[in-house]
Amino acid sequence: MDSTLQGKWPSRAQLHRWLSGELKGLPYSDHCRVLETMFPGRTVEELFSPNGAQGATPRADTGPPKGAGHLAEICSAPQMADVTAVFSSRSAFAAAYPSPTLFDTAKEINAAGLSLNVLCQNYPDHRLKRLLENGTRIRCLFLDPKGTAIRARESEEGFDDDTLVTLTTLNISMMTRLRARLAPEAAELLEVRVYDETIRFNILIVDGATCVVQPYLPQARGVDSPTIVINDNTAADGLFPVFDQVFTSMWERSHPL
């Protein structure tokens, strides 16, 4: 029906909420379009109503606020519904969300950024090894230490001594050494890739449900950038599918190591 929708299927967690009746409101607008095409003559409101015909929760009004006095309206609008926390820096985020809390029970971890310190420096090797041996899939996408984009970022952050190149090379080496120590079945679950593009975001997605995003600001270290926590709740205009698609697109353009 629309080639731009390729790869935008719902996560398993989303599908479970659809089938269990836990969904609040309606799915993402793209998913609604597909469902109405799959079930001709049925509106998505009918499909998700308790009796299959009436009583569905209507979409909230997403029109622009009328003025600054409508702050409560803005915060409750669907486009903000999946943003659950905002921190002024990575260190503030790390204090509220320690790495063991994020990763210890994870079944899938997708990370893209520069050096991926949250996985490579802040989470012990033996815990990563245990995750992989227990079936957790981990995909790491590093900024290529041999590329031109990392040099541009070093210049932007004021480094002139290969600081970012050295750190990223070290973290990649740590991941590839870990993979070499694993049994073949576990080793297949750890994928390491690099990309060489202007860096815009650090993206961490855990279990297709929690997304942590940091923008890379001009002339500022990544650790000093604001951090946004997004929990996928199938909000029609939420941010989760935006950054999930950004990661997927970057991954598809990257090169394996």
Side-chain angles (χ1 to χ4, degrees):
M1 58 177 284
D2 186 342
S3 61
T4 64
L5 297 180
Q6 291 180 5
K8 293 187 178 181
W9 49 79
S11 66
R12 283 176 291 179
Q14 288 173 312
L15 183 59
H16 174 74
R17 286 192 289 271
W18 292 5
L19 298 177
S20 64
E22 297 175 3
L23 180 67
K24 296 179 180 179
L26 296 174
Y28 301 130
S29 57
D30 287 344
H31 293 165
C32 290
R33 292 175 57 200
V34 174
L35 286 167
E36 288 182 346
T37 300
M38 291 173 64
F39 299 94
R42 304 290 296 276
T43 67
V44 73
E45 286 83 1
E46 291 174 344
L47 292 171
F48 283 90
S49 65
N51 62 5
Q54 297 178 348
T57 303
R59 293 181 188 269
D61 179 12
T62 58
K66 297 179 180 178
H70 289 73
L71 182 58
E73 272 184 50
I74 299 172
C75 292
S76 62
Q79 64 264 29
M80 297 295 292
D82 58 357
V83 175
T84 56
V86 179
F87 298 91
S88 61
S89 66
R90 186 182 300 169
S91 57
F93 160 78
Y97 289 81
S99 294
T101 301
L102 284 171
F103 303 136
D104 275 357
T105 60
K107 296 301 180 185
E108 182 178 73
I109 301 170
N110 295 327
L114 203 161
S115 302
L116 307 188
N117 287 330
V118 67
L119 267 177
C120 302
Q121 298 293 327
N122 299 339
Y123 196 66
D125 282 14
H126 71 274
R127 289 194 175 188
L128 279 173
K129 184 173 183 289
R130 182 171 59 198
L131 284 177
L132 292 159
E133 290 175 340
N134 288 335
T136 300
R137 182 188 186 193
I138 301 177
R139 296 193 292 177
C140 298
L141 184 53
F142 295 90
L143 194 60
D144 191 346
K146 299 178 181 179
T148 59
I150 197 168
R151 296 291 183 181
R153 184 61 194 176
E154 282 191 325
S155 176
E156 191 169 42
E157 292 192 20
F159 293 115
D160 56 6
D161 57 357
D162 292 345
T163 298
L164 298 182
V165 169
T166 301
L167 176 59
T168 305
T169 301
L170 174 66
N171 287 352
I172 290 174
S173 176
M174 188 275 288
M175 282 296 189
T176 54
R177 289 201 313 270
L178 171 62
R179 185 170 59 188
R181 300 201 309 268
L182 295 168
E185 296 80 3
E188 290 180 356
L189 296 173
L190 176 56
E191 297 182 74
V192 180
R193 295 191 177 194
V194 294
Y195 69 107
D196 187 21
E197 302 175 13
T198 299
I199 190 165
R200 295 180 174 90
F201 299 106
N202 185 302
I203 300 174
L204 174 68
I205 302 175
V206 180
D207 287 339
T210 298
C211 179
V212 182
V213 178
Q214 278 190 291
Y216 280 91
L217 303 179
Q219 300 177 334
R221 297 185 306 160
V223 71
D224 296 325
S225 296
T227 305
I228 303 168
V229 181
I230 304 164
N231 283 317
D232 180 24
N233 64 0
T234 70
D237 296 304
L239 291 180
F240 186 93
V242 174
F243 289 106
D244 187 46
Q245 180 59 31
V246 170
F247 175 87
T248 299
S249 178
M250 292 172 63
W251 185 263
E252 291 173 349
R253 297 193 302 271
S254 64
H255 304 286
L257 294 179

